[in-house]
Amino acid sequence: MSNLVSRSRRKLVATALATTTALALLSGSAAAAEWKYAIEEALEEVQGVYAQKFKEHVEANSDHTVAIFPFGTLGESADTTELAQMGAIQFVDLSPGFTGSLIPELQVFLLPYVLPEEPDILADFYKTSETINKELAAMYEQQNLHLIDMFPEGEVVMTTKEAVKAPADLDGVKFRVMTTPLLVETYNAFGATATPLPWGEVFGALQLNMIQGQENPMFFVESTKMYEVTDHITFTGHNTFTTAVAANKAFYDGLSEDDKAVVSAAADAAYEHIIEYQKGLQDEALAKIKEAKPSITVTTLTDEERAPFREAAKKVRDKFVEITGDSGKKILEGFEADIEASTKRVKGDG
Protein backbone atom coordinates (compact mmCIF):
# COMPACT_ATOMS: atom_id res chain seq x y z
CA MET A 1 0.00 0.00 0.00
CA SER A 2 2.81 2.46 0.88
CA ASN A 3 4.37 1.98 -2.58
CA LEU A 4 1.02 2.74 -4.23
CA VAL A 5 0.62 5.88 -2.12
CA SER A 6 4.17 6.95 -2.95
CA ARG A 7 3.62 6.44 -6.69
CA SER A 8 0.35 8.38 -6.57
CA ARG A 9 2.03 11.19 -4.70
CA ARG A 10 4.85 11.36 -7.24
CA LYS A 11 2.32 11.58 -10.10
CA LEU A 12 0.49 14.42 -8.37
CA VAL A 13 3.72 16.28 -7.67
CA ALA A 14 4.97 15.71 -11.22
CA THR A 15 1.71 17.07 -12.67
CA ALA A 16 1.86 20.13 -10.42
CA LEU A 17 5.50 20.84 -11.29
CA ALA A 18 4.89 20.35 -15.00
CA THR A 19 1.92 22.74 -14.87
CA THR A 20 4.01 25.35 -13.05
CA THR A 21 6.72 25.08 -15.68
CA ALA A 22 4.22 25.42 -18.54
CA LEU A 23 2.63 28.52 -16.95
CA ALA A 24 6.06 30.07 -16.42
CA LEU A 25 6.88 29.61 -20.09
CA LEU A 26 3.56 31.14 -21.15
CA SER A 27 3.94 34.17 -18.89
CA GLY A 28 7.61 34.92 -19.46
CA SER A 29 10.35 34.79 -22.03
CA ALA A 30 10.73 31.40 -23.69
CA ALA A 31 14.50 31.88 -23.50
CA ALA A 32 14.51 32.07 -19.71
CA ALA A 33 13.40 29.19 -17.53
CA GLU A 34 13.17 28.19 -13.90
CA TRP A 35 15.20 25.04 -13.32
CA LYS A 36 14.02 22.92 -10.41
CA TYR A 37 16.71 21.23 -8.29
CA ALA A 38 15.86 18.76 -5.49
CA ILE A 39 18.39 17.83 -2.81
CA GLU A 40 18.48 15.11 -0.14
CA GLU A 41 19.39 17.46 2.70
CA ALA A 42 18.52 20.86 4.16
CA LEU A 43 19.70 24.11 2.58
CA GLU A 44 22.29 24.68 5.31
CA GLU A 45 23.79 21.19 4.90
CA VAL A 46 26.47 20.16 2.40
CA GLN A 47 24.18 19.40 -0.55
CA GLY A 48 22.32 22.64 0.11
CA VAL A 49 25.54 24.66 0.16
CA TYR A 50 26.58 23.07 -3.14
CA ALA A 51 23.16 23.70 -4.69
CA GLN A 52 23.14 27.35 -3.62
CA LYS A 53 26.55 27.93 -5.21
CA PHE A 54 25.32 26.18 -8.38
CA LYS A 55 22.23 28.42 -8.38
CA GLU A 56 24.31 31.54 -7.80
CA HIS A 57 26.55 30.79 -10.80
CA VAL A 58 23.67 29.90 -13.13
CA GLU A 59 21.73 33.04 -12.28
CA ALA A 60 24.81 35.27 -12.60
CA ASN A 61 25.69 33.89 -16.02
CA SER A 62 22.33 33.27 -17.72
CA ASP A 63 18.72 34.40 -17.76
CA HIS A 64 17.66 31.20 -16.01
CA THR A 65 16.73 30.86 -12.36
CA VAL A 66 17.15 27.82 -10.10
CA ALA A 67 14.55 26.80 -7.50
CA ILE A 68 16.02 24.51 -4.82
CA PHE A 69 13.77 21.98 -3.10
CA PRO A 70 15.24 20.73 0.22
CA PHE A 71 14.67 17.22 1.57
CA GLY A 72 11.04 16.44 2.31
CA THR A 73 9.47 19.14 0.15
CA LEU A 74 9.09 16.73 -2.79
CA GLY A 75 9.27 13.48 -0.82
CA GLU A 76 12.07 11.02 -0.07
CA SER A 77 15.11 10.34 -2.27
CA ALA A 78 13.24 7.71 -4.30
CA ASP A 79 10.54 10.28 -5.06
CA THR A 80 12.91 13.01 -6.25
CA THR A 81 14.91 10.55 -8.35
CA GLU A 82 11.75 9.45 -10.12
CA LEU A 83 10.62 13.06 -10.60
CA ALA A 84 13.95 13.80 -12.30
CA GLN A 85 13.63 10.73 -14.52
CA MET A 86 10.12 11.86 -15.49
CA GLY A 87 11.34 15.37 -16.29
CA ALA A 88 9.14 17.03 -13.65
CA ILE A 89 12.32 18.51 -12.15
CA GLN A 90 15.53 19.30 -13.99
CA PHE A 91 18.28 18.56 -11.41
CA VAL A 92 18.51 16.17 -8.50
CA ASP A 93 20.99 15.02 -5.85
CA LEU A 94 20.96 11.22 -5.66
CA SER A 95 23.45 9.36 -3.51
CA PRO A 96 24.61 5.87 -4.55
CA GLY A 97 23.10 4.55 -1.34
CA PHE A 98 19.72 4.94 -3.02
CA THR A 99 20.51 4.76 -6.74
CA GLY A 100 22.52 1.55 -6.30
CA SER A 101 19.24 -0.30 -6.72
CA LEU A 102 18.76 1.42 -10.11
CA ILE A 103 22.38 1.17 -11.25
CA PRO A 104 24.02 -1.74 -9.39
CA GLU A 105 27.55 -0.69 -10.38
CA LEU A 106 27.15 2.54 -8.38
CA GLN A 107 27.40 0.43 -5.25
CA VAL A 108 31.17 0.53 -5.79
CA PHE A 109 31.01 3.75 -3.74
CA LEU A 110 29.58 1.76 -0.83
CA LEU A 111 32.37 -0.81 -0.66
CA PRO A 112 34.04 -0.49 2.75
CA TYR A 113 37.74 0.39 2.87
CA VAL A 114 38.06 1.20 -0.84
CA LEU A 115 37.86 5.00 -0.97
CA PRO A 116 40.90 6.84 0.44
CA GLU A 117 40.48 8.72 3.70
CA GLU A 118 42.63 11.74 2.73
CA PRO A 119 40.38 14.67 1.63
CA ASP A 120 42.85 15.99 -0.99
CA ILE A 121 43.07 12.61 -2.69
CA LEU A 122 39.30 12.23 -2.59
CA ALA A 123 38.79 15.68 -4.12
CA ASP A 124 41.16 14.89 -6.98
CA PHE A 125 39.66 11.44 -7.53
CA TYR A 126 36.04 12.57 -7.90
CA LYS A 127 37.08 15.30 -10.32
CA THR A 128 39.44 13.31 -12.53
CA SER A 129 38.23 9.70 -12.43
CA GLU A 130 37.40 8.39 -15.92
CA THR A 131 35.56 5.51 -14.27
CA ILE A 132 33.15 8.02 -12.71
CA ASN A 133 32.97 10.60 -15.45
CA LYS A 134 32.78 8.24 -18.43
CA GLU A 135 31.88 4.64 -17.54
CA LEU A 136 29.47 5.33 -14.68
CA ALA A 137 28.15 8.48 -16.38
CA ALA A 138 27.08 6.33 -19.34
CA MET A 139 25.06 4.12 -16.99
CA TYR A 140 23.09 7.15 -15.74
CA GLU A 141 22.10 7.85 -19.35
CA GLN A 142 20.34 4.48 -19.47
CA GLN A 143 18.14 5.69 -16.59
CA ASN A 144 17.16 8.90 -18.38
CA LEU A 145 19.63 10.88 -16.26
CA HIS A 146 22.74 12.85 -17.20
CA LEU A 147 25.53 12.90 -14.60
CA ILE A 148 26.58 16.46 -13.83
CA ASP A 149 28.91 16.00 -10.87
CA MET A 150 29.93 13.80 -7.94
CA PHE A 151 31.41 14.99 -4.67
CA PRO A 152 32.31 13.64 -1.21
CA GLU A 153 30.39 14.76 1.89
CA GLY A 154 32.71 13.52 4.61
CA GLU A 155 33.73 10.37 6.44
CA VAL A 156 30.87 8.12 7.48
CA VAL A 157 30.65 7.44 11.22
CA MET A 158 28.54 4.96 13.14
CA THR A 159 26.22 6.26 15.83
CA THR A 160 24.90 3.58 18.17
CA LYS A 161 23.25 3.07 21.54
CA GLU A 162 26.09 0.84 22.77
CA ALA A 163 29.84 1.26 22.27
CA VAL A 164 31.43 -0.39 19.22
CA LYS A 165 35.05 -1.53 19.27
CA ALA A 166 34.72 -4.80 17.32
CA PRO A 167 32.23 -6.61 15.06
CA ALA A 168 31.08 -8.63 18.08
CA ASP A 169 29.71 -5.40 19.57
CA LEU A 170 27.26 -5.16 16.67
CA ASP A 171 25.80 -8.60 17.34
CA GLY A 172 22.04 -8.22 17.67
CA VAL A 173 22.14 -4.53 16.75
CA LYS A 174 19.51 -3.50 14.22
CA PHE A 175 21.48 -1.04 12.13
CA ARG A 176 19.70 1.29 9.73
CA VAL A 177 21.07 1.37 6.18
CA MET A 178 19.94 3.05 2.99
CA THR A 179 17.81 0.91 0.74
CA THR A 180 20.50 -0.69 -1.40
CA PRO A 181 21.70 -4.33 -1.34
CA LEU A 182 25.40 -3.71 -0.71
CA LEU A 183 24.85 -1.72 2.48
CA VAL A 184 22.74 -4.58 3.77
CA GLU A 185 25.61 -6.92 2.93
CA THR A 186 28.13 -4.59 4.60
CA TYR A 187 26.44 -4.34 7.98
CA ASN A 188 25.51 -7.99 8.04
CA ALA A 189 29.21 -8.75 7.40
CA PHE A 190 30.15 -6.32 10.18
CA GLY A 191 28.02 -8.38 12.59
CA ALA A 192 24.87 -6.26 12.76
CA THR A 193 21.35 -6.91 11.50
CA ALA A 194 21.10 -4.51 8.57
CA THR A 195 17.72 -2.76 8.47
CA PRO A 196 16.88 -0.71 5.35
CA LEU A 197 14.76 2.36 6.14
CA PRO A 198 13.88 5.62 4.36
CA TRP A 199 15.63 8.54 6.05
CA GLY A 200 12.41 10.12 7.29
CA GLU A 201 11.78 7.14 9.59
CA VAL A 202 15.23 6.90 11.20
CA PHE A 203 14.99 9.31 14.15
CA GLY A 204 11.69 7.87 15.33
CA ALA A 205 12.90 4.29 14.91
CA LEU A 206 15.96 5.04 17.06
CA GLN A 207 13.82 6.84 19.62
CA LEU A 208 11.53 3.82 19.91
CA ASN A 209 14.51 1.40 19.93
CA MET A 210 13.23 -0.30 16.77
CA ILE A 211 16.80 0.16 15.53
CA GLN A 212 19.95 0.80 17.55
CA GLY A 213 22.37 2.34 15.06
CA GLN A 214 22.87 4.29 11.85
CA GLU A 215 25.70 5.76 9.76
CA ASN A 216 26.21 9.22 8.25
CA PRO A 217 28.82 11.98 7.93
CA MET A 218 29.44 13.91 11.13
CA PHE A 219 27.85 17.17 9.94
CA PHE A 220 24.62 15.26 9.23
CA VAL A 221 24.69 13.52 12.61
CA GLU A 222 24.88 16.96 14.20
CA SER A 223 22.34 18.79 12.03
CA THR A 224 19.73 16.01 12.26
CA LYS A 225 20.38 15.53 16.00
CA MET A 226 21.07 11.81 15.69
CA TYR A 227 23.17 12.16 18.83
CA GLU A 228 19.98 12.76 20.82
CA VAL A 229 18.82 9.18 20.18
CA THR A 230 22.24 7.45 20.22
CA ASP A 231 25.05 7.55 22.75
CA HIS A 232 28.23 6.52 20.95
CA ILE A 233 30.03 7.78 17.83
CA THR A 234 32.61 5.50 16.23
CA PHE A 235 35.12 6.34 13.50
CA THR A 236 35.86 3.09 11.70
CA GLY A 237 37.35 4.68 8.57
CA HIS A 238 35.29 2.40 6.37
CA ASN A 239 33.78 4.90 3.94
CA THR A 240 33.02 8.42 2.73
CA PHE A 241 29.52 9.56 1.88
CA THR A 242 29.17 10.30 -1.84
CA THR A 243 26.59 12.40 -3.65
CA ALA A 244 25.85 12.64 -7.35
CA VAL A 245 24.18 15.56 -9.11
CA ALA A 246 22.22 14.58 -12.21
CA ALA A 247 19.93 16.23 -14.71
CA ASN A 248 16.96 14.82 -16.60
CA LYS A 249 18.56 13.49 -19.79
CA ALA A 250 15.98 14.87 -22.24
CA PHE A 251 16.20 18.29 -20.56
CA TYR A 252 20.00 18.31 -20.69
CA ASP A 253 20.17 17.07 -24.28
CA GLY A 254 17.77 19.86 -25.26
CA LEU A 255 19.93 22.65 -23.81
CA SER A 256 21.84 24.97 -26.11
CA GLU A 257 25.61 24.69 -26.12
CA ASP A 258 25.77 27.95 -24.19
CA ASP A 259 23.44 26.62 -21.50
CA LYS A 260 25.40 23.37 -21.26
CA ALA A 261 28.52 25.46 -20.72
CA VAL A 262 26.73 27.41 -17.96
CA VAL A 263 25.73 24.16 -16.23
CA SER A 264 29.27 22.77 -16.49
CA ALA A 265 30.86 25.97 -15.15
CA ALA A 266 28.28 26.14 -12.33
CA ALA A 267 29.10 22.55 -11.35
CA ASP A 268 32.83 23.32 -11.38
CA ALA A 269 32.33 26.40 -9.21
CA ALA A 270 30.08 24.51 -6.79
CA TYR A 271 32.54 21.60 -6.60
CA GLU A 272 35.50 23.82 -5.69
CA HIS A 273 33.33 25.67 -3.18
CA ILE A 274 32.04 22.54 -1.44
CA ILE A 275 35.49 20.98 -1.15
CA GLU A 276 36.78 24.15 0.53
CA TYR A 277 33.63 24.50 2.65
CA GLN A 278 34.08 21.03 4.14
CA LYS A 279 37.53 21.72 5.55
CA GLY A 280 37.13 21.62 9.32
CA LEU A 281 33.40 20.89 9.04
CA GLN A 282 33.72 17.50 10.75
CA ASP A 283 35.55 18.95 13.75
CA GLU A 284 33.06 21.81 14.05
CA ALA A 285 30.12 19.40 14.01
CA LEU A 286 31.74 17.15 16.60
CA ALA A 287 32.39 20.12 18.88
CA LYS A 288 28.71 21.12 18.66
CA ILE A 289 27.63 17.56 19.50
CA LYS A 290 29.92 17.40 22.54
CA GLU A 291 28.59 20.74 23.76
CA ALA A 292 24.98 19.66 23.29
CA LYS A 293 25.53 16.22 24.83
CA PRO A 294 28.62 16.02 27.05
CA SER A 295 27.93 12.36 27.83
CA ILE A 296 28.45 11.29 24.20
CA THR A 297 31.45 9.01 23.69
CA VAL A 298 33.61 9.35 20.58
CA THR A 299 35.94 6.53 19.58
CA THR A 300 38.40 6.34 16.69
CA LEU A 301 39.32 2.72 16.09
CA THR A 302 43.01 1.91 15.83
CA ASP A 303 44.43 0.05 12.83
CA GLU A 304 44.43 -3.10 14.94
CA GLU A 305 40.76 -2.61 15.90
CA ARG A 306 39.85 -1.94 12.26
CA ALA A 307 41.49 -5.14 11.07
CA PRO A 308 38.46 -7.44 11.65
CA PHE A 309 36.19 -4.91 9.91
CA ARG A 310 38.60 -4.87 6.96
CA GLU A 311 38.55 -8.66 6.89
CA ALA A 312 34.75 -8.66 6.86
CA ALA A 313 34.84 -6.13 4.02
CA LYS A 314 36.35 -8.79 1.73
CA LYS A 315 33.01 -10.62 1.76
CA VAL A 316 31.29 -7.41 0.67
CA ARG A 317 33.72 -7.00 -2.19
CA ASP A 318 32.96 -10.54 -3.35
CA LYS A 319 29.23 -9.80 -3.09
CA PHE A 320 29.61 -6.68 -5.22
CA VAL A 321 31.24 -8.69 -8.02
CA GLU A 322 28.56 -11.36 -7.65
CA ILE A 323 25.77 -8.75 -7.94
CA THR A 324 27.26 -6.78 -10.81
CA GLY A 325 29.19 -9.43 -12.78
CA ASP A 326 31.90 -8.52 -15.29
CA SER A 327 30.60 -4.96 -15.59
CA GLY A 328 31.01 -4.33 -11.87
CA LYS A 329 34.40 -6.04 -11.78
CA LYS A 330 35.62 -3.71 -14.53
CA ILE A 331 34.23 -0.69 -12.70
CA LEU A 332 35.94 -1.73 -9.46
CA GLU A 333 39.27 -2.25 -11.20
CA GLY A 334 39.01 1.15 -12.91
CA PHE A 335 37.91 2.73 -9.63
CA GLU A 336 40.98 1.49 -7.80
CA ALA A 337 43.31 2.44 -10.66
CA ASP A 338 41.89 5.98 -10.64
CA ILE A 339 42.35 6.21 -6.86
CA GLU A 340 45.96 5.11 -7.23
CA ALA A 341 46.53 7.73 -9.94
CA SER A 342 45.01 10.47 -7.73
CA THR A 343 47.13 9.34 -4.78
CA LYS A 344 50.32 9.60 -6.86
CA ARG A 345 49.27 12.96 -8.29
CA VAL A 346 48.45 14.51 -4.90
CA LYS A 347 51.50 13.07 -3.15
CA GLY A 348 53.80 13.94 -6.04
CA ASP A 349 54.81 10.34 -6.65
CA GLY A 350 53.73 10.19 -10.26
Side-chain angles (χ1 to χ4, degrees):
M1 177 62 74
S2 60
N3 287 338
L4 288 173
V5 171
S6 185
R7 283 198 295 272
S8 298
R9 185 180 188 280
R10 285 196 283 272
K11 287 179 181 177
L12 287 170
V13 171
T15 301
L17 290 173
T19 301
T20 302
T21 300
L23 289 172
L25 288 174
L26 287 171
S27 61
S29 167
E34 180 185 71
W35 294 344
K36 298 176 180 64
Y37 183 167
I39 61 177
E40 297 176 315
E41 297 169 5
L43 279 174
E44 64 273 13
E45 293 169 340
V46 170
Q47 290 181 19
V49 172
Y50 177 103
Q52 289 181 79
K53 190 68 175 181
F54 181 90
K55 169 186 169 75
E56 176 187 307
H57 189 95
V58 167
E59 294 180 353
N61 293 279
S62 75
D63 292 329
H64 305 304
T65 57
V66 178
I68 303 171
F69 293 84
F71 176 80
T73 55
L74 297 179
E76 293 270 357
S77 297
D79 302 311
T80 53
T81 298
E82 187 171 333
L83 289 171
Q85 289 176 299
M86 295 164 63
I89 59 177
Q90 287 70 49
F91 297 94
V92 66
D93 279 355
L94 22 66
S95 58
F98 292 105
T99 46
S101 55
L102 278 178
I103 307 171
E105 291 84 355
L106 283 177
Q107 295 178 93
V108 70
F109 288 97
L110 307 177
L111 285 170
Y113 299 107
V114 170
L115 286 171
E117 291 186 57
E118 298 88 337
D120 290 346
I121 297 173
L122 276 170
D124 183 86
F125 165 65
Y126 284 84
K127 198 68 179 174
T128 64
S129 169
E130 288 198 3
T131 305
I132 293 174
N133 298 304
K134 289 186 178 179
E135 282 83 357
L136 289 175
M139 294 177 184
Y140 279 93
E141 303 278 323
Q142 297 168 18
Q143 298 295 328
N144 201 30
L145 296 166
H146 176 84
L147 182 64
I148 301 294
D149 210 355
M150 271 195 173
F151 59 92
E153 290 199 55
E155 180 181 346
V156 168
V157 298
M158 296 182 190
T159 69
T160 52
K161 292 181 179 288
E162 301 295 335
V164 175
K165 297 291 288 289
D169 296 326
L170 290 170
D171 184 32
V173 173
K174 291 182 180 177
F175 201 101
R176 180 265 174 174
V177 297
M178 289 182 284
T179 52
T180 201
L182 210 70
L183 281 173
V184 172
E185 188 71 22
T186 296
Y187 274 92
N188 285 343
F190 282 176
T193 300
T195 307
L197 276 180
W199 176 248
E201 300 176 22
V202 176
F203 191 95
L206 283 165
Q207 199 168 33
L208 296 171
N209 203 37
M210 295 168 63
I211 57 173
Q212 295 83 42
Q214 66 90 42
E215 65 162 34
N216 261 300
M218 187 64 74
F219 82 87
F220 202 65
V221 172
E222 188 277 322
S223 65
T224 58
K225 301 188 184 301
M226 284 296 109
Y227 59 87
E228 290 185 354
V229 285
T230 52
D231 300 304
H232 303 272
I233 296 173
T234 308
F235 287 84
T236 57
H238 70 282
N239 215 338
T240 290
F241 194 91
T242 297
T243 293
V245 182
N248 171 268
K249 184 179 184 301
F251 157 77
Y252 183 84
D253 289 347
L255 292 176
S256 67
E257 290 306 312
D258 284 346
D259 280 346
K260 286 179 181 177
V262 167
V263 170
S264 179
D268 287 343
Y271 185 87
E272 297 302 322
H273 179 67
I274 206 61
I275 294 300
E276 186 65 29
Y277 171 80
Q278 289 184 73
K279 292 178 179 177
L281 186 61
Q282 179 173 276
D283 291 340
E284 291 172 17
L286 184 55
K288 289 178 182 177
I289 291 171
K290 287 180 175 178
E291 181 178 1
K293 187 174 183 176
S295 63
I296 197 89
T297 69
V298 181
T299 304
T300 299
L301 300 188
T302 64
D303 286 341
E304 183 179 355
E305 288 168 333
R306 292 181 187 191
F309 288 101
R310 289 183 183 276
E311 185 63 29
K314 293 177 182 177
K315 300 176 188 175
V316 186
R317 186 187 183 96
D318 292 342
K319 187 66 175 180
F320 172 77
V321 174
E322 178 188 324
I323 291 171
T324 58
D326 290 341
S327 174
K329 184 178 180 183
K330 181 183 176 184
I331 290 292
L332 177 54
E333 289 170 352
F335 204 74
E336 293 184 316
D338 292 346
I339 290 170
E340 184 178 355
S342 287
T343 302
K344 289 180 178 179
R345 196 157 38 241
V346 171
K347 293 189 174 180
D349 296 333

